[in-house]
C-alpha cells in the first residue's frame, strides 16, 4: 500500500510517500516545492518527481493521498474528503485563513488531477475528540456555542506522535500501544491503574501545549482556531475578546484589518517589533534589543502557564516533551522553560540539553523524577498510518 501525504501551504507543497508492508512503513520519497504560484503544475511536478525517483511507475499505484487537514465546522477525525466535508471546511476559512484556504484549493486540485484516488484527511482536531466537556467550552451564550464557538485544539498529529513516542521511550508499551490504536479504538482512557502523564510542547512557527493522560489528550492550548493559545510566529495567541471591538472603535479598524493583524502581525512578530523567526529574535536579543528579549521572555512565560495548567490537571507528570522547530532546536528556550521547576520534579541536564539539536534525546538529569525529552515530530507518519487504517476499515 502506497500513501502520499501532501502538506499544503499557501505557497508551498511538501510531500512524503509511504509504503506499508503490514504495520511496517518506509518513506519511499520526500520532497517539496516552495514559492508555488501555479498549484496544478506543482501537483504535476510532485507526481513527476515520484516517477523519476522510481518510487512509483504510475499514479494509479497510489492507494490514497492523505492530508493533515486543519479545521472544519463540525467534522473531525480521519475522513474521506468528500464535497460535503470540503464544504464543512469552508466554514472554517474565516477563523483559519492561513490554513484552510490553501488546503481546500490543493485538495480540489488533487481531486481533479486524480479522480480515482481516495483523498483522506486527518483533522488536526482529531486528537481532542475525547477531551472533557469542560475543556471544550467557552463561557459564551448558548446560541454562540450552538453556532460552533467551542475549543477544538490543534497540532493533533504531532501531539499524538509525542504521546506514542514518549511512552515508548519510558518503557510504557501498554500506553504506546493505546496511543497508536487511537482513532480506531478509543474513548475510554483507563489503562490499568497506572497513569502515564505527559505534557507535550509543540513549539514552532505555530505553537501549542497538550496534556496527555494514558496516551489520550485532555486538552490543548489552542481553542476555536489555530490563532489562539501560545503566541505564534506572527499569529496572536490568547487575547481578551474585548480587544477586538475596542480596536475597531478606537482605531476604526475594519473586520478584514483586524483579521489580518491577528493572523499575520501578532504573536512573536508583534511583541518583538517585527521578527517572527526565533533565530532572528534571539540574535536581536543578543544585540540588546529589548523588544526581542521581551518576546522571548513572554513566549517562555506563556509556555510555562500552559505547562502549569496541565500539570495541575494531571496531578503531576511523568514526561515533559519538546518538539517542532523551536522545541527541537533551541536549547536556551528549553532551559528557560524548565528553570526553577525542581519542586515539580523537573530537572534538566544542562549538558544533555545543550548537545541536543533536532535529535531524539532524554535531556533530564538522571535523578529527575520527570523525564524531559526532545522528540522530532513526525506528523506525516501519523497521517499516513491513519489513512491506511481508514482505508482498511472501509474497504
Ligand atoms: P516549525 O513550525 O516546526 O517548522 O518551526 C519553525 C520555527 O522554528 C521557525 O519559525 C523558527 O522560529 C524556529 N526554528 C527553526 N529552526 C530553528 C533553529 N535551528 N534554532 C531555533 N529556532 C528554530
Amino acid at each position: 500500500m502506497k500513501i502520499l501525504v501532501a502538506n499544503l501551504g499557501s505557497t508551498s507543497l511538501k510531500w512524503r510517500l509511504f509504503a506499508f508492508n503490514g504495520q511496517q512503513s518506509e518513506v519511499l520519497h520526500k520532497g517539496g516545492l516552495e514559492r508555488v504560484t501555479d498549484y496544478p503544475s506543482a501537483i504535476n511536478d510532485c507526481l513527476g518527481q515520484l516517477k523519476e525517483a522510481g518510487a512509483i511507475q504510475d499514479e494509479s499505484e497510489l492507494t490514497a493521498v492523505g492530508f493533515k487537514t486543519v479545521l472544519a465546522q463540525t467534522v473531525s477525525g480521519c475522513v474521506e474528503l468528500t464535497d460535503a466535508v470540503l464544504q464543512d471546511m469552508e466554514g472554517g476559512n474565516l477563523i483559519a485563513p492561513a490554513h484552510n484556504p490553501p488546503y481546500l484549493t490543493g485538495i480540489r486540485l488533487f481531486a481533479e488531477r486524480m479522480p480515482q484516488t481516495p483523498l483522506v484527511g486527518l483533522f488536526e482536531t482529531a486528537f481532542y475528540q475525547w477531551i472533557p466537556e469542560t475543556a471544550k467550552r467557552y463561557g459564551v451564550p448558548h446560541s454562540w456555542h450552538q453556532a460552533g464557538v467551542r475549543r477544538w485544539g490543534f497540532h493533533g498529529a504531532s501531539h499524538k506522535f509525542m504521546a506514542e513516542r514518549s511512552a515508548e521511550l519510558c518503557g510504557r508499551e501498554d500506553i504506546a500501544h493505546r496511543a497508536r490504536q487511537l482513532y480506531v479504538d478509543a474513548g475510554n482512557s483507563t489503562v490499568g491503574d497506572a497513569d502515564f502523564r505527559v505534557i507535550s510542547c509543540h513549539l514552532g512557527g505555530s505553537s501549542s501545549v497538550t496534556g496527555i493522560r494514558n496516551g489520550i489528550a485532555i486538552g490543548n492550548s489552542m481553542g476555536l482556531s489555530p490563532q489562539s493559545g501560545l503566541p505564534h510566529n506572527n499569529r496572536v495567541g490568547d487575547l481578551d475578546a474585548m480587544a477586538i471591538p475596542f480596536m475597531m472603535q478606537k482605531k476604526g479598524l475594519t473586520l478584514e484589518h483586524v483579521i489580518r493583524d491577528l493572523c499575520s502581525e501578532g504573536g512573536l512578530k508583534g511583541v518583538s517589533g517585527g521578527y517572527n523567526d526565533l533565530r532572528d529574535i534571539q540574535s536581536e536579543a543578543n544585540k540588546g534589543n529589548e523588544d526581542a528579549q521581551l518576546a522571548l521572555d513572554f513566549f517562555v512565560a506563556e509556555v510555562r502557564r500552559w505547562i502549569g495548567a496541565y500539570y495541575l490537571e494531571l496531578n503531576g507528570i511523568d514526561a515533559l516533551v519538546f518538539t517542532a522547530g523551536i522545541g527541537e532546536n533551541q536549547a536556551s528556550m528549553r532551559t528557560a522553560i524548565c528553570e526553577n521547576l525542581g519542586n515539580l520534579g523537573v530537572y534538566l541536564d544542562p549538558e544533555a540539553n545543550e548537545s541536543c539539536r533536532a535529535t531524539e534525546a532524554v535531556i533530564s538529569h538522571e535523578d529527575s523524577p520527570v523525564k524531559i525529552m526532545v522528540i522530532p515530530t513526525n506528523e506525516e507518519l501519523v497521517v499516513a498510518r491513519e489513512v491506511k487504517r481508514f482505508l482498511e476499515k472501509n474497504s
Side-chain angles (χ1 to χ4, degrees):
M1 184 184 279
K2 289 182 181 173
I3 295 173
L4 178 67
V5 177
N7 186 338
L8 309 174
S10 50
T11 59
S12 66
L13 170 63
K14 295 180 195 151
W15 64 85
R16 272 186 213 187
L17 177 63
F18 291 85
F20 283 91
N21 185 1
Q23 298 309 315
Q24 299 302 315
S25 65
E26 182 193 353
V27 176
L28 292 184
H29 193 262
K30 82 179 192 187
L33 299 164
E34 302 283 349
R35 297 172 207 264
V36 170
T37 49
D38 175 3
Y39 237 102
S41 309
I43 294 172
N44 275 336
D45 287 352
C46 161
L47 297 171
Q49 286 195 31
L50 296 180
K51 287 180 200 159
E52 262 169 47
I56 54 169
Q57 307 296 319
D58 186 85
E59 286 144 53
S60 61
E61 284 171 47
L62 295 176
T63 320
V65 184
F67 299 89
K68 188 165 63 75
T69 39
V70 177
L71 169 71
Q73 274 193 305
T74 57
V75 177
S76 186
C78 187
V79 298
E80 180 149 13
L81 295 166
T82 59
D83 283 344
V85 173
L86 297 186
Q87 266 178 28
D88 200 44
M89 282 176 69
E90 259 168 16
N93 281 0
L94 182 73
I95 55 174
H99 298 89
N100 266 23
Y103 262 93
L104 281 162
T105 307
I107 292 163
R108 288 191 166 122
L109 289 167
F110 266 101
E112 270 172 35
R113 178 70 172 72
M114 308 173 70
Q116 305 307 326
T117 310
L119 307 182
V120 182
L122 174 65
F123 280 91
E124 286 286 68
T125 51
F127 193 37
Y128 309 102
Q129 290 171 83
W130 303 281
I131 61 175
E133 197 55 36
T134 49
K136 293 180 188 165
R137 292 302 286 244
Y138 287 114
V140 291
H142 197 64
S143 57
W144 289 40
H145 180 70
Q146 280 180 320
V149 178
R150 52 156 289 178
R151 300 185 69 94
W152 282 103
F154 296 89
H155 286 148
S158 180
H159 289 299
K160 181 184 191 292
F161 189 72
M162 298 306 124
E164 298 172 11
R165 194 66 195 129
S166 61
E168 285 166 1
L169 290 173
C170 288
R172 292 298 303 266
E173 184 46 39
D174 55 336
I175 305 290
H177 176 74
R178 178 165 189 75
R180 282 194 298 269
Q181 284 302 102
L182 270 188
Y183 306 146
V184 167
D185 163 24
N188 170 10
S189 69
T190 312
V191 178
D193 296 331
D195 267 2
F196 183 68
R197 301 149 305 170
V198 178
I199 295 178
S200 168
C201 305
H202 177 114
L203 311 178
S206 175
S207 297
S208 74
V209 176
T210 286
I212 304 167
R213 177 183 282 119
N214 293 333
I216 298 181
I218 61 162
N220 176 253
S221 55
M222 291 203 239
L224 173 68
S225 81
Q227 331 305 335
S228 54
L230 301 176
H232 308 283
N233 60 346
N234 62 359
R235 307 193 325 273
V236 64
D238 278 348
L239 174 73
D240 187 320
M242 294 311 282
I244 296 169
F246 174 77
M247 285 302 288
M248 290 176 94
Q249 194 177 61
K250 183 156 182 167
K251 294 280 183 183
L253 301 189
T254 60
L255 181 62
E256 287 68 32
H257 197 144
V258 167
I259 292 172
R260 200 189 62 215
D261 280 358
L262 296 178
C263 300
S264 58
E265 298 299 325
L268 295 173
K269 185 178 179 187
V271 180
S272 70
Y275 303 94
N276 67 5
D277 187 302
L278 205 92
R279 290 162 286 197
D280 300 334
I281 300 173
Q282 184 69 65
S283 97
E284 278 299 306
N286 294 348
K287 286 187 243 160
N289 180 330
E290 289 179 7
D291 288 338
Q293 185 59 52
L294 178 63
L296 296 176
D297 296 343
F298 173 56
F299 187 69
V300 169
E302 291 292 295
V303 174
R304 284 166 65 98
R305 183 201 299 275
W306 279 99
I307 290 176
Y310 291 125
Y311 190 96
L312 193 78
E313 212 165 322
L314 292 164
N315 191 16
I317 52 171
D318 301 287
L320 177 63
V321 181
F322 291 99
T323 192
I326 298 170
E328 292 169 27
N329 291 293
Q330 189 77 2
S332 62
M333 188 55 74
R334 297 191 296 254
T335 303
I337 291 168
C338 294
E339 202 166 279
N340 200 20
L341 297 183
N343 282 345
L344 304 188
V346 174
Y347 294 96
L348 206 59
D349 175 334
E351 270 176 34
N353 182 42
E354 279 304 323
S355 60
C356 171
R357 291 275 185 286
T359 47
E360 187 172 274
V362 174
I363 57 168
S364 42
H365 190 271
E366 60 181 0
D367 296 328
S368 177
V370 174
K371 266 206 166 64
I372 312 170
M373 299 175 215
V374 175
I375 301 178
T377 194
N378 198 343
E379 296 162 291
E380 289 82 3
L381 176 62
V382 173
V383 174
R385 274 194 329 223
E386 295 312 320
V387 171
K388 171 178 177 281
R389 282 195 197 152
F390 173 85
L391 296 170
E392 287 169 348
K393 203 168 130 195
N394 293 286
S395 66

